[in-house]
Amino acid sequence: MGSAQFHWIGRGRLALGVILSLFFLVPCSQALAAPAEIGGLTVTLPDAATGWRKAGKGNLFMLQKDFPETEDDKRGNALIQITKPLPAARSSLQAGMKTFVATLPDMAKEDILVKHYGVTVNGYDIRVEERCCVHQKNVSISQIVVGVAGDRQQAYLQLVLLNVNGDRSRSPEADFATLVRSVKLDPSDKDFDLVPASEDGGLDGVFTHLDTGLRPNVFGGMDFYSDSTITTFDPKGLFSTELPKGGRSITEHCKETPTNCGLYTLTGGGFFSSAGSIEMRSVTSAYGTIEIETKTFSKKGEDLVIADADHRAVPPFDEGTTLDGEWVSTFASSGMTATSSGSVASSHTLRLHRNGTFERAGWSGASMTNEIGGSQSGVTTSSNRPGASGRYKLSGYRLDLTDVSGKTETMSIFEPDKGSDGLLVINGNNYLKDDGK
C-alpha cells in the first residue's frame, strides 16, 4: 500500500495547513445524523448536542468541535477525520498507518506515546497510535490515528487536537473512542458488544492471584507492589479483572466498563481430562482492541492454574456475615531526580464490629521540591478525611456502608486468604488487619 493512495488527503505541509485553516476559520454548523454511511463504511457519529458538526469538503469525512478561550486555556479545536474504505490487503495495515500519519509530517517525527494492537469484535485487525505534541503558529497539536483492516479493504480515522489538552481532551477522546468502536466495514458486521459464543464458558467463580514486583512512579523512583489480582469467570463465557460494583451482574459491568472484561474459551483435554488451555480475548482499550492470548490451563481442586500461576478460588461472604477488627490501607511513593524530589502517602482505616456497625477515617499528604538556577522551592500539603460511622452489610462480594444520614456506599470486597480475615481487598485496595502489636 503506497502513499499514492493518500494523495487526496494532502501531503507534506499542505495537510497541516488544512488542519490549521480549520482552526482559524470556523465553518457553519451542520446537524449530524447517526449512524452514518461513508463510502460503504458505517459509523455512529457523536450526537450533535455534544458540539460536533460536519466540517470541510473532499474525500475525507470531517467533524469539528470548538473549545472557547478561558482564563486558563487558549481557544481550541478537535477534529475527527475518516477515510472512505480503501482496497488493500490486511497485511498492509502497518504500512498504511505510516502513510496516514505522515499526512501530518511533523507529527510523524514524534514518538508513539501509546499504542494498541489487536482485533475488533468483527475480526478485523486494528491499530491505534497516539502522538504528542507538535507546535505550529502557537498551536499545540496532538494526534490519535486508528487503522482498521479486513481481508480486502481498510479504513483510517484520526482525532487531531489543537490547543486541547488536560481535562479538556477527555471529552473528544471519549467521543472518538466510541466512534471507533462503532466502525463497520461490512453491512453484516455486528455492534461492539461482548457476546459469548456457544463454545465459550465453562468456569464459575472468583479467583485470586498474588502479583508482586517493582514499578516506576511519577517521582522517578521505584515502588514495590503486592496486589491480590482477581479474575471473575461467568459460566457463559465472560470474564472480568474487577469485581462488579454496586450489585451489578458481570454482564452489566462489562457493558459499562468493557476494558476490564473479555471472553474466554477452554480448549484441549479429552473425555477423561479437563481442558489443557484457555483462550482469553481481552478488551485492551476504549477503542475496542481485543488481544487474544492462549495460556496453559488446569484445575487443582477448587483452584485453577493458568500459565503456571496459581489462582485460588475465593468464596463469597454469606448473607449477614459480620467481622470484628480494624483494617488499614496504606500507600506511599517517593523518588528524586537531579533537580526535584517528591513523595505522597495516604492511610485509610475501617473498623467493623460484630454488631454490624462501622467507623472509618483517613488522611493523605504530599510534598515536592524543585531546584532551578540555584534556588529551591517546595510545597507540602496534607488533609484528613472526615470520619464516618453507621451500619454495614456483607453479602457475596459486596460491602454496603450506610452512614448515620442514611447514605449508602457500595464497594467490592473479598478475602484473598481462605479462612482468614487478616487481609481484605476492598474496591481493589489492600486492607491489613491491625492485630494491635
Side-chain angles (χ1 to χ4, degrees):
M1 181 175 185
S3 60
Q5 291 184 325
F6 290 93
H7 73 277
W8 38 262
I9 296 175
R11 301 177 65 182
R13 297 194 177 275
L14 175 61
L16 186 58
V18 172
I19 295 292
L20 290 175
S21 69
L22 286 171
F23 175 76
F24 292 111
L25 298 176
V26 181
C28 296
S29 176
Q30 179 176 341
L32 301 180
E37 192 270 336
I38 304 171
L41 177 76
T42 302
V43 295
T44 300
L45 300 175
D47 191 288
T50 62
W52 290 97
R53 62 173 180 275
K54 189 174 180 180
K57 298 179 181 180
N59 290 302
L60 271 182
F61 182 90
M62 300 179 65
L63 302 177
Q64 180 174 345
K65 183 176 182 178
D66 302 323
F67 291 81
E69 183 175 356
T70 67
E71 184 177 342
D72 299 320
D73 298 295
K74 298 179 181 178
R75 174 190 160 204
N77 288 97
L79 302 173
I80 291 176
Q81 299 176 316
I82 307 172
T83 69
K84 297 177 181 179
L86 307 168
R90 185 187 291 254
S91 60
S92 66
L93 177 59
Q94 185 172 358
M97 286 285 287
K98 290 182 179 179
T99 302
F100 192 78
V101 170
T103 59
L104 297 181
D106 291 334
M107 191 64 71
K109 300 173 185 177
E110 299 296 316
D111 292 333
I112 302 172
L113 299 181
V114 179
K115 57 185 174 181
H116 304 284
Y117 306 144
V119 298
T120 71
V121 292
N122 291 300
Y124 302 125
D125 290 349
I126 180 172
R127 297 174 69 94
V128 182
E129 298 179 359
E130 300 184 23
R131 291 174 173 82
C132 180
C133 296
V134 168
H135 295 271
Q136 292 283 340
K137 298 183 179 179
N138 295 319
V139 178
S140 173
I141 308 171
S142 60
Q143 175 194 54
I144 302 175
V145 173
V146 178
V148 181
D151 291 331
R152 296 183 299 274
Q153 58 181 355
Q154 302 174 0
Y156 294 86
L157 310 89
Q158 75 171 338
L159 173 69
V160 180
L161 299 177
L162 310 170
N163 283 344
V164 177
N165 44 49
D167 291 341
R168 292 209 301 182
S169 69
R170 294 178 183 175
S171 173
E173 287 175 356
D175 290 340
F176 182 63
T178 300
L179 188 152
V180 170
R181 292 199 303 271
S182 75
V183 167
K184 297 178 182 179
L185 283 177
D186 188 272
S188 64
D189 289 343
K190 62 184 180 180
D191 293 329
F192 177 85
D193 199 3
L194 292 175
V195 180
S198 58
E199 65 271 17
D200 291 338
L203 300 174
D204 188 14
V206 176
F207 300 83
T208 183
H209 166 66
L210 183 62
D211 180 28
T212 61
L214 293 172
R215 57 189 169 208
N217 60 43
V218 296
F219 303 113
M222 300 293 291
D223 293 335
F224 173 78
Y225 68 90
S226 178
D227 296 331
S228 295
T229 62
I230 69 107
T231 307
T232 302
F233 289 103
D234 173 78
K236 293 183 178 180
L238 278 173
F239 74 86
S240 172
T241 55
E242 283 191 358
L243 283 170
K245 297 180 177 65
R248 296 176 179 84
S249 68
I250 188 171
T251 301
E252 293 169 330
H253 168 74
C254 289
K255 279 185 176 294
E256 295 175 5
T257 54
T259 52
N260 297 321
C261 296
L263 300 166
Y264 73 95
T265 304
L266 299 177
T267 58
F271 186 79
F272 296 103
S273 62
S274 64
S277 61
I278 182 171
E279 180 188 85
M280 304 186 75
R281 309 187 295 278
S282 306
V283 180
T284 57
S285 77
Y287 305 97
T289 54
I290 297 174
E291 180 180 307
I292 302 175
E293 294 181 288
T294 300
K295 306 176 183 180
T296 58
F297 173 87
S298 63
K299 290 186 177 181
K300 186 191 294 184
E302 295 181 346
D303 302 332
L304 307 176
V305 180
I306 300 175
D308 299 324
D310 290 332
H311 293 252
R312 293 181 296 174
V314 178
F317 286 99
D318 293 331
E319 179 83 26
T321 296
T322 58
L323 300 174
D324 187 50
E326 178 177 292
W327 287 264
V328 182
S329 174
T330 58
F331 171 79
S333 180
S334 64
M336 62 185 304
T337 66
T339 59
S340 66
S341 64
S343 63
V344 62
S346 65
S347 178
H348 296 88
T349 301
L350 177 65
R351 299 181 185 89
L352 302 176
H353 305 283
R354 291 290 182 196
N355 63 2
T357 61
F358 79 91
E359 297 94 34
R360 63 193 303 197
W363 61 267
S364 61
S367 66
M368 287 175 283
T369 60
N370 288 279
E371 185 173 339
I372 301 176
S375 64
Q376 190 176 77
S377 62
V379 61
T380 299
T381 180
S382 63
S383 63
N384 292 320
R385 174 176 181 166
S389 62
R391 300 197 63 82
Y392 73 93
K393 181 181 179 181
L394 278 169
S395 177
Y397 303 101
R398 172 174 173 169
L399 172 64
D400 291 332
L401 300 179
T402 304
D403 63 22
V404 293
S405 70
K407 181 181 178 181
T408 298
E409 181 179 359
T410 299
M411 297 177 285
S412 63
I413 185 172
F414 68 93
E415 292 177 337
D417 301 322
K418 291 182 180 180
S420 171
D421 63 3
L423 172 63
L424 300 178
V425 180
I426 303 175
N427 269 5
N429 298 313
N430 293 335
Y431 280 74
L432 287 171
K433 192 172 187 179
D434 188 350
D435 58 10
K437 296 181 181 179

